[in-house]
């Protein structure tokens, strides 16, 4: 259902801020906390739920082959999406 939402969990208005944060060579806890508080409360709750669920799924990686990278592939498109139409502009 996440991919069907009209807006990704991390709002499009925060896309560039999220990308810039991810590109930093070193990310501090203060950087992450500053970004997280800019996400609407309900969206943060969804992210927290997904993160907890991902931890549970990863516990059984030896049975389900869902390591953290595979989990990220599944959930990333619904969490953060490029806001423009032109993929060349990324």
């Amino acid at each position: 259902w996440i991919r069907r939402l009209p807006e990704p969990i991390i709002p499009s208005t925060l896309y560039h801020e999220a990308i810039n944060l991810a590109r930093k060579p070193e990310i501090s806890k203060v950087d992450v906390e500053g970004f997280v508080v800019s996400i609407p409360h309900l969206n943060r709750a969804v992210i927290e739920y997904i993160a907890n669920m991902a931890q549970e799924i990863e516990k059984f990686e030896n049975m389900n082959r869902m390591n953290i990278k595979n989990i990220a592939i599944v959930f990333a498109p619904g969490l953060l999406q490029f806001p423009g139409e032109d993929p060349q502009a990324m």
Side-chain angles (χ1 to χ4, degrees):
W1 62 268
I2 293 173
R3 289 184 186 196
R4 293 188 202 144
L5 293 172
E7 178 79 0
I9 301 299
I10 298 174
S12 297
T13 55
L14 297 175
Y15 174 84
H16 294 291
E17 187 177 341
I19 295 300
N20 290 337
L21 181 62
R23 287 182 177 161
K24 287 180 83 169
E26 291 188 30
I27 303 172
S28 71
K29 183 177 179 182
V30 173
D31 291 333
V32 173
E33 289 172 347
F35 176 74
V36 169
V37 297
S38 67
I39 299 170
H41 177 73
L42 182 58
N43 298 42
R44 283 195 313 255
V46 172
I47 292 168
E48 183 178 348
Y49 184 87
I50 290 170
N52 290 332
M53 183 175 60
Q55 288 176 336
E56 290 298 313
I57 293 168
E58 188 183 28
K59 285 180 185 177
F60 301 98
E61 176 187 352
N62 61 336
M63 294 187 311
N64 63 25
R65 298 182 184 176
M66 291 298 288
N67 60 31
I68 200 65
K69 288 182 180 181
N70 291 337
I71 294 168
I73 289 169
V74 171
F75 287 103
L79 294 175
L80 184 67
Q81 296 173 7
F82 179 68
E85 297 292 322
D86 181 13
Q88 297 295 328
M90 288 179 161

